[in-house]
Amino acid sequence: MPDQPDAIPLPPAPPLFTWEFAADPYPAYAWLREHAPVHRTTLPSGVDAWLVTRYADARQALADARLSKNPAHHSEQAHRTGRVGIPGERQADLMTHLLNIDPPDHTRLRRLVSKAFTPRTVAEFEPRVQQLTDRLISGFAARGSADLIHEFAFPLPIYAICDLLGVPAEDQDDFRDWAGMMIRHGGGPRGGVARAVKRMRSYLAELIHRKRAEPGEDLISGLIRASDHGEHLSENEAAAMAFILLFAGFETTVNLIGNGMYTLMNHPEQRARLQESVRRGERELLTTAVEELLRYDGPVELATWRFATAPLSIGGVDIPVGDPVLVVLAAADRDPARFGRPDTLDLARKDNPHLGFGHGIHYCIGAPLARLEGQAALATLLTRLPDIEFAGEPAELRWRGGLIMRGLRELPVSFTPESSTGSS
């Protein structure tokens, strides 16, 4: 009997969660999609979890009711030590928010807050977003250089979501400081995040009491009114809702603007095409450009934690009860089985059902606001600072550590200084 040919061995799996991986995770994700699309790995926190990397499997997992968002379904000791989820939220009693609950509570709370993010409501907020955008750019436009993350992409969504929540202007810089602590320490010592969360929780409790006595036309006042009219919203739920809208709402937009501008600066032909379209006052290419930037190098690398509540199969792999599942949005959105030329940036891409904002009942409720902020930020930067360019060396860029979000620590840029008559 003739010898059987030896099976061709798989190439070695690429290392995950290193600094090199953080700079460019896409080759590793391509390997996983091809060779181990549902892959069990040990995360930097020590928690074992499944990574789902193919588009079809990702959509299935994001919509599967057997995958709970409630960390109570995690069967590991790690759950009790707070190693899944947002650091500090358990100690601050902020667990009852949209990212951690399932129906029917999720349905009830989402219905209450969804009124703040309807297309009509967000459209009415557009002048305020544009005002914030212009004010922040004016803060550095005459200088000829800036750190686009800390001077623009970071404060813009902070101030916008504070306005929506009803945080008084004199308190908004405190929120900016707390949010900064959460970003700076997101991949390092968790104590910094926990301290920021605790301070934010104390402030929100006080603000809820003030709004109950003197309600306004803001989101927190709306939540209080709903609670007073029989919707049964506890103070903890109201505080947790405000917290997660800030936490999830600001960092997503920071990364959308930062990653998006860095991508445009690395694709001069695509950038020039968008710039000319914006100059002519057109909207179509700007709209598709933001969607493509969300797909190509989006702000959320992995969807937030899910936990199997019943035996299930994803991509032919059996997932035991209690196991955490992390859907890798960044991998799914470059799956060649769904997107033509997935590693090519095409700002005019039409067939683009990316998963940048998730899928299913946990689809990002703030997506309309993030899109508005992203469009305003990119269009205004390209218009007011038309020759803006990256001012550093790619090898010197640092991506923030952490598991869920993907974003730059800083983005140095240079441009021709704007004259005093050039600002809006």
Side-chain angles (χ1 to χ4, degrees):
M1 182 175 179
D3 293 337
Q4 294 295 318
D6 293 335
I8 299 175
L10 284 180
L16 304 176
F17 311 119
T18 64
W19 288 113
E20 293 77 14
F21 169 85
D24 183 12
Y26 296 102
Y29 288 149
W31 188 97
L32 289 175
R33 273 197 314 266
E34 182 175 357
H35 300 294
V38 181
H39 175 64
R40 187 175 173 88
T41 189
T42 301
L43 305 173
S45 64
V47 175
D48 289 332
W50 296 91
L51 302 181
V52 179
T53 54
R54 287 181 179 169
Y55 183 87
D57 295 336
R59 275 181 62 94
Q60 173 203 331
L62 291 172
D64 196 320
R66 294 169 295 178
L67 288 173
S68 169
K69 298 290 288 177
N70 188 342
H73 291 293
H74 187 197
S75 61
E76 302 290 334
Q77 173 68 23
H79 165 64
R80 290 188 288 277
T81 57
R83 297 169 72 187
V84 300
I86 300 168
E89 63 180 359
R90 185 182 311 282
Q91 294 91 329
D93 202 12
L94 289 171
M95 293 290 292
T96 52
H97 57 66
L98 291 175
L99 295 186
N100 280 346
I101 57 175
D102 304 313
D105 285 336
H106 176 271
T107 308
R108 172 176 59 90
L109 294 180
R110 188 176 176 102
R111 183 178 67 251
L112 288 176
V113 78
S114 63
K115 298 169 187 175
F117 295 101
T118 64
R120 178 179 175 181
T121 304
V122 170
E124 292 172 350
F125 199 56
E126 184 172 4
R128 176 57 177 157
V129 170
Q130 188 62 55
Q131 181 187 39
L132 287 169
T133 300
D134 281 316
R135 188 188 84 194
L136 290 167
I137 294 175
S138 293
F140 57 78
R143 199 170 67 226
S145 65
D147 176 353
L148 209 57
I149 300 298
H150 291 284
E151 296 184 73
F152 180 69
F154 173 69
L156 174 61
I158 286 287
Y159 292 138
I161 199 70
C162 280
D163 281 354
L164 273 179
L165 289 173
V167 176
E170 62 269 21
D171 296 340
Q172 292 187 6
D173 283 339
D174 288 335
F175 267 78
R176 180 175 175 169
D177 291 343
W178 297 329
M181 289 179 67
M182 294 166 77
I183 277 193
R184 285 193 299 274
H185 295 292
R190 295 167 76 88
V193 183
R195 284 193 299 273
V197 170
K198 185 175 181 180
R199 291 172 186 170
M200 199 176 292
R201 172 67 174 90
S202 297
Y203 176 85
L204 289 171
E206 178 189 341
L207 184 61
I208 288 168
H209 285 301
R210 284 157 53 189
K211 295 288 184 182
R212 192 176 294 279
E214 298 181 26
E217 296 304 316
D218 51 82
L219 180 52
I220 289 180
S221 297
L223 292 173
I224 291 170
R225 277 193 292 269
S227 179
D228 290 343
H229 287 83
E231 288 283 1
H232 308 298
L233 187 74
S234 70
E235 181 178 296
N236 280 347
E237 287 175 332
M241 183 71 73
F243 164 72
I244 201 59
L245 289 173
L246 180 73
F247 181 84
F250 89 86
E251 193 169 3
T252 302
T253 307
V254 173
N255 297 347
L256 168 57
I257 296 170
N259 298 5
M261 280 302 299
Y262 184 61
T263 297
L264 289 175
M265 291 186 285
N266 284 320
H267 293 80
E269 291 185 5
Q270 291 279 304
R271 173 238 180 103
R273 183 180 176 190
L274 176 60
Q275 215 154 1
E276 176 60 22
S277 175
V278 168
R279 188 191 65 79
R280 293 196 299 263
E282 299 168 353
R283 298 288 301 183
E284 182 178 0
L285 187 60
L286 179 62
T287 300
T288 58
V290 168
E291 300 308 308
E292 176 68 346
L293 293 169
L294 284 161
R295 183 200 70 82
Y296 182 81
D297 196 10
V300 183
E301 191 165 340
L302 286 80
T304 49
W305 297 83
R306 284 166 167 78
F307 306 91
T309 60
L312 73 151
S313 176
I314 303 175
V317 176
D318 293 333
I319 309 296
V321 173
D323 273 15
V325 174
L326 291 167
V327 177
V328 188
L329 306 179
D333 279 344
R334 291 210 189 186
D335 188 343
R338 180 56 189 86
F339 299 97
R341 300 190 306 149
D343 296 318
T344 298
L345 182 74
D346 178 7
L347 297 183
R349 190 184 294 268
K350 293 291 197 298
D351 180 22
N352 192 4
H354 65 79
L355 300 176
F357 289 125
H359 172 66
I361 65 170
H362 290 283
Y363 183 84
C364 176
I365 198 167
L369 179 60
R371 287 185 166 107
L372 169 62
E373 292 170 335
Q375 291 174 18
L378 297 180
T380 309
L381 285 167
L382 294 175
T383 300
R384 291 185 57 179
L385 311 174
D387 62 349
I388 187 171
E389 291 292 349
F390 176 53
E393 294 294 329
E396 297 174 355
L397 276 179
R398 291 293 177 265
W399 296 82
R400 285 195 299 274
L403 193 63
I404 302 299
M405 298 291 187
R406 173 166 172 77
L408 290 162
R409 290 180 179 271
E410 55 194 24
L411 182 56
V413 295
S414 60
F415 45 86
T416 299
E418 186 180 72
S419 68
S420 59
T421 59
S423 60
S424 298

